[in-house]
Amino acid sequence: MDLNYLLYRHQVSLMRAKASDCVCATRSHRDLAKGYADRIRVLRSGFGEEGSLTRAPC
């Protein structure tokens, strides 16, 4: 999958989690962001890059 797409979806998920008024929706968006972060990490490791993505505070 394209790295830029994953980065975009990760950011959108974090923004939606922050904007959500519903605890369930916030949790769902955070879970999506975590999944995207995991996929980004795997993809970046294939490029020989290291680093982590900032996660939204709980």
Side-chain angles (χ1 to χ4, degrees), residues 5-58:
Y5 175 76
L6 292 173
L7 290 167
Y8 168 75
R9 294 304 311 163
H10 178 260
Q11 187 65 34
V12 168
S13 295
L14 291 176
M15 289 186 300
R16 287 184 177 170
K18 188 174 181 178
S20 178
D21 294 329
C22 172
V23 174
C24 292
T26 299
R27 185 176 300 127
S28 294
H29 289 299
R30 284 188 183 155
D31 288 346
L32 283 170
K34 183 187 178 309
Y36 287 124
D38 292 342
R39 292 171 72 180
I40 291 165
R41 199 171 294 108
V42 168
L43 189 57
R44 282 183 169 172
S45 70
F47 296 145
E49 296 180 24
E50 291 189 25
S52 63
L53 295 171
T54 303
R55 293 189 181 172
C58 295

